[in-house]
Amino acid sequence: MSNLTVDKEAFHRRMKRLYTHWKNASGDDSFAKIDAMIVAVGVDEEVIYSKSTSLQTWLFGYELTDTIMVLCEEKVLFLASKKKADFLKQVEVGKENENGIPPITLLIRDKGDKDKTNFEKLMEAVKTSKNGKTIGEFSKDRFPGDFMDQWRAVLEKAGLDKIDVSATTAYLLAPKEESELTLVKKSSLVTCTVFSKYYREQVMEIVDADKKVKHFKLADGIEESITNKKFTQGVDPALIEMCYPPIIQSGGNYSLKFSVVSDKNNLHFGIITCAFGTRYKSYCSNIVRTLMVDPPQAVQDNYEFLLGVEEDVISKLQHGVRLSDVYTNAVKAVKAKRPELVEHLTKNFGFAMGIEFREGSLLIGGKTSAMARKGMVFNVNVGLADLQNKEAKEEQGKKYALFIGDTVIVNEGEPATVITPVKKRVKHVGIFLKDEDESGDEDEVNGAAGPVLLGRGKRSAVLDNKLRNEMTSEEKRRQHQVELGARLNEEARQRLSQQNSRESSEKSVKSTVSYKSRSLIPKEPEVTGLQLFVDRKYETVILPIFGIPVPFYIATIKNISQSIEGDYTYLRLNFHHPGSAMGRETTFSNPEATFLKEVTYRSTNLKEPGEAAAPSSNLNTAFRLIKDVQKKFKTREAEEREMEGIVKQDKLIINSNKGNPKLKDLYIRPNIVQKRISGTLEAHTNGFRFTSVRGDKVDILYNNIKHAFFQPCDGEMIILLHFHLKNAIIFGKKRHNDVQFYTEVGEITTDLGKHSHLHDRDDLHAEQAERELRHKLKSAFKSFCEKVEALTKNDLEFDTPFRDLGFPGAPYRSTVLLQPTSSCIVTLSEWPPFVISLDDIELVHFERVQFHLKNFDMVFIFKDYRKKTVRL
């Protein structure tokens, strides 16, 4: 044990916590009745959990076998072997009362006199502590072995009163420190990974291939999976172990307890319950899920109701709330909504967990008066047993049970945090098999054949029937296509007929009148002197025409040019008029009127004697001012067009909790400013907020997100979150329907001129670092998505593109990889992105499809025929 080290600060902090509780104990607290406390640990390979070893692990981080610890009022004594005593010297406290902890005395075992002298020293310390009559012990912990037998004999001979302090010690150890919570979270991560990537995949494969696999074999596979680095990334596999043998049940035999074992029956394709947990550095986590194969609607309804019960328990489980109240409130809710299910509920809704898997004194049950405290870890599990499935065809499926459980951390003033966020809605745990038409037809043929077994003749009959069925299916498909085409044509006919009768709605035309009355025309010297004048206030240019100053609104001027030829300056103005603006949406209130097409002014550059400036200075000034006014006018028009149709968003409700899901060092696309800047994306009560390093804020509300995508960095140089919005938002003075947050996971560009070797250590190190970075970023983004889904109660779900089903296409100029998701076709890595929702598509038309051509066009036609079609 010479290589092992103790966290001294943690030991002193926790020992002080124990002594402070002992000192302040009163009333019914068992610590108030004891004069000393004895913790004796022997050797027993069969004992996995005990209060004695838990207390040792809590204090030292390790279990110390054949060690006796005696806690007295003014001293702490240890009796152990020489190696363990050397290990304990790291925490030895001097004679002074250091940090509120009594001095520690180490006694080394003496096998010569069978520790008789050491036992006397321990008993003397006990008798001099307070009254010296009552000791606290863990009554259930009785370790075998000569050393423990001898010590128990000494205690019996002393005739001391004994009090069990297990419950008080459990309550003392239950609130976890931050370092302990980190270990529990790592343990939970492994548990979730094994469930998602191993167990669920195994069950899917077994059901799909119709294999016969026994429950205990599947359980053994789960135990073996924790030795595979694929499922334990980020933690040391040597420090991972199972909390208990995994429990898998199906086929009508269910017991919703953690003391049962997986039986030898084959997995039944109906309701399958699974419970297992892992320990990391002695800290436990647990998960319970129910997978359902083709569940009837009644079973689905019961499952969804049970999910609501679990969510109710988790929401009520807060700091300062009695555990009995949590249980009672949940049961009351069940009685109010589904009273027939009360008798089927489990007897308790979970228990406290930590170094020990199950703390019996802290059950979420009707008789537990203890209060939940911040930092406690609970295994919340709710179940319904002995339910009847009346729609089941097999005997094994008629009786079923539902069981759901998660590991949670108690918070103050808010619901407990779920740290096993594996999705558990019906659509996530339901396995729905498609019934084939052929199976029913084959049954009919078999039934018609009766008891006659003609072998080959029968098979040929089935084969013929199968071929006829396939032909029938093809005919049905063609008939269905004809029906769809007829329906679409009828809808188009009705739509076009209504469109002809409907009056076309014209956009409101902005007035081009500069001044509503003559009195508003400015009386400047340039106007009265018949010179060009630019009125910035009314955005008007006053031009002298036939000796009369005539105002022209800036919107009527198409363009302006200036040129100098010899001694003269020419200023030419072109105006908008009917027939000139091809492709431009320009509407004239009176198109039959006479319009001015262009006008040119000429002025000399020569300055006459006595003049302050040459006459052409008026044209130069007018040219500059008209350009300025045009620029401001066009900028304002562009901003108005951007704001057109913008829906006012709700206000973001900021959640001040520091534990909000958060991702740092992300870039946003499109950029807020011309240069890209990084920032932090944080999830709040009703939306996201991106805050850049320079303080810019972009808010995206959950109810404005139409599609949310998470694209991992597999085969890509960036990892990203993409939001396709229902209504555009404004930032950077532009409107945007797509917002993306990403970070780079490697070098986008490579220096080809740099000399490199195949086995260059720097390159190998860089590749390894990039692989680790990819895994770290993927885990962080995935964890963020799962937390956000839990925060929104799955109202917002992140979709991941199916890269394996991707195909090349050119939605814009360049060819990119288009990838389908469960609801869209997207390409997200290149900008601008391409997102088409499948729900919005009426039909897809293929053009230029010929066998000798590799490429063809695909046109998406939308249900909203006012939208322009999209061509790939």
Side-chain angles (χ1 to χ4, degrees):
M1 300 189 71
S2 58
N3 297 329
L4 303 179
T5 56
V6 181
D7 186 342
K8 297 178 186 178
E9 291 184 7
F11 171 80
H12 291 150
R13 186 172 62 250
R14 292 169 185 176
M15 186 64 88
K16 182 180 179 181
R17 186 163 133 194
L18 193 150
Y19 264 92
T20 303
H21 183 86
W22 187 8
K23 181 180 178 181
N24 298 331
S26 61
D28 295 333
D29 193 325
S30 57
F31 269 36
K33 302 173 185 177
I34 62 173
D35 300 316
M37 181 174 169
I38 296 174
V39 181
V41 178
V43 180
D44 191 349
E45 296 295 333
E46 295 182 1
V47 175
I48 301 175
Y49 305 109
S50 70
K51 282 289 179 295
S52 304
T53 54
S54 297
L55 188 60
Q56 285 185 347
T57 305
W58 186 64
L59 291 172
F60 308 111
Y62 302 96
E63 293 182 11
L64 305 176
T65 56
D66 283 340
T67 301
I68 298 174
M69 178 172 67
V70 179
L71 304 178
C72 301
E73 184 180 19
E74 297 180 354
K75 65 173 84 172
V76 179
L77 295 91
F78 288 93
L79 174 58
S81 64
K82 188 176 186 308
K83 286 185 178 180
K84 294 185 180 72
D86 292 338
F87 169 76
L88 291 168
K89 280 182 180 178
Q90 298 177 67
V91 297
E92 191 173 7
V93 182
K95 293 182 181 179
E96 302 82 9
N97 196 329
E98 191 174 313
N99 295 326
I101 305 171
I104 294 176
T105 303
L106 301 178
L107 303 177
I108 299 175
R109 288 187 61 188
D110 182 5
K111 295 183 180 179
D113 67 345
K114 294 185 178 180
D115 292 306
K116 185 176 179 182
T117 306
N118 289 327
F119 288 160
E120 289 175 357
K121 290 179 181 179
L122 293 178
M123 292 309 301
E124 182 182 351
V126 170
K127 290 179 180 178
T128 56
S129 176
K130 291 190 176 182
N131 298 325
K133 295 180 179 179
T134 307
I135 60 170
E137 64 170 6
F138 303 127
S139 57
K140 290 185 178 179
D141 295 356
R142 296 186 66 83
F143 289 89
D146 294 339
F147 180 54
M148 289 292 107
D149 291 340
Q150 292 164 11
W151 172 241
R152 280 193 289 269
V154 171
L155 286 177
E156 290 295 331
K157 188 176 179 182
L160 299 171
D161 294 332
K162 299 175 183 177
I163 291 180
D164 186 11
V165 292
S166 299
T168 305
T169 305
Y171 196 67
L172 181 67
L173 270 60
K176 303 292 183 286
E177 298 174 355
E178 198 59 42
S179 58
E180 295 178 283
L181 292 177
T182 301
L183 296 177
V184 175
K185 288 176 182 177
K186 287 186 176 181
S187 173
S188 298
L189 178 62
V190 174
T191 302
C192 294
T193 305
V194 170
F195 179 86
S196 301
K197 294 187 177 180
Y198 178 80
Y199 169 72
R200 186 160 56 191
E201 294 297 322
Q202 285 289 313
V203 173
M204 294 282 284
E205 184 181 336
I206 291 168
V207 173
D208 190 44
D210 199 14
K211 295 180 181 177
K212 291 186 178 180
V213 178
K214 298 184 185 299
H215 293 146
F216 79 92
K217 285 288 185 184
L218 196 52
D220 291 345
I222 294 175
E223 287 201 59
E224 291 175 8
S225 67
I226 64 171
T227 60
N228 189 337
K229 290 185 179 180
K230 177 183 176 183
F231 307 115
T232 58
Q233 292 179 355
V235 298
D236 185 357
L239 301 176
I240 287 284
E241 58 181 330
M242 300 301 297
C243 294
Y244 57 93
I247 304 168
I248 297 169
Q249 303 174 95
S250 68
N253 297 321
Y254 302 96
S255 178
L256 306 186
K257 298 177 181 179
F258 295 99
S259 55
V260 299
V261 295
S262 300
D263 57 32
K264 296 182 179 180
N265 294 329
N266 288 329
L267 191 72
H268 177 255
F269 301 161
I271 308 300
I272 307 166
T273 65
C274 172
F276 68 88
T278 60
R279 296 180 83 194
Y280 178 63
K281 291 186 177 179
S282 299
Y283 283 85
C284 299
S285 65
N286 192 59
I287 191 170
V288 183
R289 289 291 184 270
T290 301
L291 298 182
M292 302 180 288
V293 181
D294 279 337
Q297 189 58 46
V299 175
Q300 295 182 40
D301 293 343
N302 288 339
Y303 181 85
E304 286 289 351
F305 180 75
L306 189 63
L307 271 184
V309 175
E310 190 206 20
E311 289 173 359
D312 190 37
V313 171
I314 293 172
S315 65
K316 293 287 191 301
L317 190 60
Q318 300 181 22
H319 176 80
V321 179
R322 290 188 185 278
L323 298 180
S324 56
D325 293 343
V326 175
Y327 176 82
T328 306
N329 288 335
V331 173
K332 281 182 180 177
V334 176
K335 285 182 179 177
K337 297 175 183 177
R338 298 284 299 276
E340 74 277 7
L341 295 180
V342 172
E343 61 181 6
H344 298 284
L345 284 170
T346 47
K347 301 303 179 186
N348 62 71
F349 293 155
F351 43 80
M353 189 167 57
I355 299 173
E356 287 190 83
F357 171 68
R358 182 180 186 273
E359 181 46 64
S361 61
L362 291 174
L363 297 176
I364 304 178
K367 298 180 181 179
T368 309
S369 59
M371 291 185 178
R373 292 167 62 188
K374 183 181 178 182
M376 283 185 173
V377 176
F378 279 85
N379 174 26
V380 174
N381 49 76
V382 295
L384 293 169
D386 297 328
L387 297 172
Q388 297 296 321
N389 180 9
K390 297 179 181 178
E391 298 181 34
K393 297 178 182 178
E394 300 176 351
E395 189 64 33
Q396 289 176 302
K398 290 184 177 179
K399 183 180 176 183
Y400 72 97
L402 301 172
F403 206 16
I404 309 168
D406 286 289
T407 304
V408 303
I409 300 173
V410 177
N411 298 317
E412 187 172 2
E414 60 180 19
T417 303
V418 178
I419 55 175
T420 49
V422 177
K423 295 179 180 179
K424 52 196 173 187
R425 292 285 172 193
V426 170
K427 60 182 177 182
H428 302 127
V429 299
I431 304 172
F432 296 93
L433 306 176
K434 293 183 179 179
D435 294 329
E436 297 182 0
D437 295 337
E438 289 81 3
S439 61
D441 294 329
E442 286 182 17
D443 290 341
E444 291 176 10
V445 172
N446 294 340
V452 182
L453 300 175
L454 297 177
R456 180 175 297 180
K458 182 178 179 182
R459 286 199 296 272
S460 64
V462 174
L463 184 61
D464 292 342
N465 191 67
K466 185 177 179 183
L467 290 173
R468 284 196 298 273
N469 280 343
E470 288 178 357
M471 187 63 70
T472 305
S473 298
E474 176 63 19
E475 289 173 357
K476 284 181 179 178
R477 188 188 69 79
R478 289 179 181 176
Q479 181 64 30
H480 186 55
Q481 289 289 313
V482 172
E483 291 173 1
L484 284 175
R487 192 186 73 188
L488 287 175
N489 287 333
E490 181 60 30
E491 289 175 357
R493 191 178 295 108
Q494 292 178 5
R495 185 178 68 254
L496 292 172
S497 62
Q498 291 173 2
Q499 186 175 337
N500 292 335
S501 61
R502 191 188 307 144
E503 295 181 1
S504 60
S505 58
E506 295 183 358
K507 291 185 178 180
S508 59
V509 181
K510 291 187 178 181
S511 173
T512 55
V513 176
S514 298
Y515 306 107
K516 293 183 178 179
S517 65
R518 188 179 182 85
S519 61
L520 294 175
I521 297 179
K523 305 294 190 293
E524 300 293 333
E526 289 90 341
V527 177
T528 56
L530 296 179
Q531 294 182 336
L532 276 71
F533 178 73
V534 179
D535 186 353
R536 293 188 178 186
K537 181 180 179 182
Y538 288 98
E539 295 180 328
T540 297
V541 182
I542 299 178
L543 304 176
I545 298 177
F546 299 123
I548 301 171
V550 181
F552 289 86
Y553 189 58
I554 195 69
T556 62
I557 299 175
K558 186 178 181 181
N559 53 48
I560 181 172
S561 63
Q562 185 185 32
S563 62
I564 300 174
E565 296 179 9
D567 295 337
Y568 294 96
T569 296
Y570 292 86
L571 183 67
R572 179 179 177 178
L573 293 91
N574 292 320
F575 297 92
H576 291 294
H577 59 87
S580 67
M582 296 301 293
R584 183 187 176 96
E585 293 184 5
T586 306
T587 310
F588 298 92
S589 56
N590 186 10
E592 301 298 326
T594 302
F595 285 83
L596 185 65
K597 183 178 180 181
E598 65 176 80
V599 63
T600 303
Y601 290 92
R602 186 185 75 168
S603 183
T604 180
N605 297 331
L606 300 177
K607 186 171 69 171
E608 297 291 334
E611 291 182 348
S616 61
S617 63
N618 175 248
L619 297 186
N620 294 332
T621 304
F623 177 75
R624 178 174 53 81
L625 293 177
I626 290 171
K627 284 287 186 185
D628 289 345
V629 174
Q630 266 191 331
K631 185 177 179 182
K632 290 180 181 178
F633 175 77
K634 289 178 180 178
T635 302
R636 191 178 73 248
E637 287 283 302
E639 289 178 357
E640 288 178 0
R641 281 196 301 271
E642 290 291 332
M643 293 298 293
E644 187 179 347
I646 292 294
V647 178
K648 187 178 180 182
Q649 304 295 311
D650 298 334
K651 190 175 180 181
L652 181 70
I653 302 173
I654 302 296
N655 188 349
S656 57
N657 185 11
K658 292 183 180 180
N660 288 340
K662 186 184 297 184
L663 284 175
K664 297 181 180 179
D665 300 327
L666 298 183
Y667 297 106
I668 184 173
R669 286 200 292 198
N671 297 332
I672 299 175
V673 290
Q674 193 167 7
K675 186 179 179 182
R676 71 172 189 174
I677 50 177
S678 63
T680 301
L681 180 66
E682 187 171 2
H684 291 282
T685 305
N686 65 333
F688 298 99
R689 167 163 285 182
F690 175 79
T691 308
S692 71
V693 290
R694 70 170 205 169
D696 303 291
K697 291 182 174 62
V698 177
D699 295 341
I700 302 173
L701 301 184
Y702 300 141
N703 59 11
N704 191 33
I705 296 175
K706 188 175 183 180
H707 299 291
F709 303 102
F710 162 52
Q711 181 173 289
C713 47
D714 301 331
E716 301 283 353
M717 297 305 291
I718 61 173
I719 183 170
L720 59 86
L721 297 176
H722 186 97
F723 300 110
H724 184 64
L725 307 180
K726 298 175 184 174
N727 302 305
I729 61 173
I730 295 284
F731 65 86
K733 296 184 179 179
K734 291 185 178 179
R735 60 189 293 160
H736 305 287
N737 275 95
D738 290 276
V739 184
Q740 188 178 108
F741 304 96
Y742 72 98
T743 187
E744 296 171 355
V745 294
E747 295 181 358
I748 301 295
T749 59
T750 305
D751 185 4
L752 296 177
K754 187 177 75 172
H755 175 71
S756 62
H757 188 266
L758 178 62
H759 301 293
D760 190 350
R761 289 188 177 181
D762 290 340
D763 285 352
L764 294 174
H765 178 73
E767 288 178 10
Q768 178 63 26
E770 184 178 325
R771 278 195 294 270
E772 292 176 358
L773 176 63
R774 282 176 179 271
H775 173 69
K776 183 179 178 183
L777 286 173
K778 193 174 178 181
S779 300
F781 272 69
K782 193 171 182 181
S783 174
F784 176 83
C785 295
E786 289 172 348
K787 288 178 180 176
V788 170
E789 288 174 349
L791 180 67
T792 60
K793 295 185 178 178
N794 289 324
D795 289 339
L796 176 66
E797 291 190 359
F798 286 87
D799 214 348
T800 301
F802 302 114
R803 188 176 180 81
D804 295 340
L805 302 178
F807 55 92
Y812 303 111
R813 292 186 177 180
S814 60
T815 301
V816 294
L817 181 67
L818 293 161
Q819 304 174 66
T821 70
S822 59
S823 58
C824 297
I825 294 176
V826 301
T827 178
L828 306 174
S829 299
E830 301 288 335
W831 200 262
F834 177 77
V835 179
I836 280 193
S837 177
L838 299 179
D839 291 338
D840 297 339
I841 296 173
E842 179 74 26
L843 60 92
V844 180
H845 182 64
F846 296 93
E847 296 180 349
R848 297 192 307 113
V849 180
Q850 297 179 11
F851 290 112
H852 65 278
L853 293 177
K854 279 188 176 181
N855 302 325
F856 60 89
D857 292 341
M858 186 163 57
V859 181
F860 294 96
I861 301 168
F862 297 99
K863 292 177 180 176
D864 183 359
Y865 285 90
R866 290 171 297 180
K867 291 178 69 174
K868 189 178 179 182
T869 59
V870 174
R871 181 186 298 271
L872 291 180

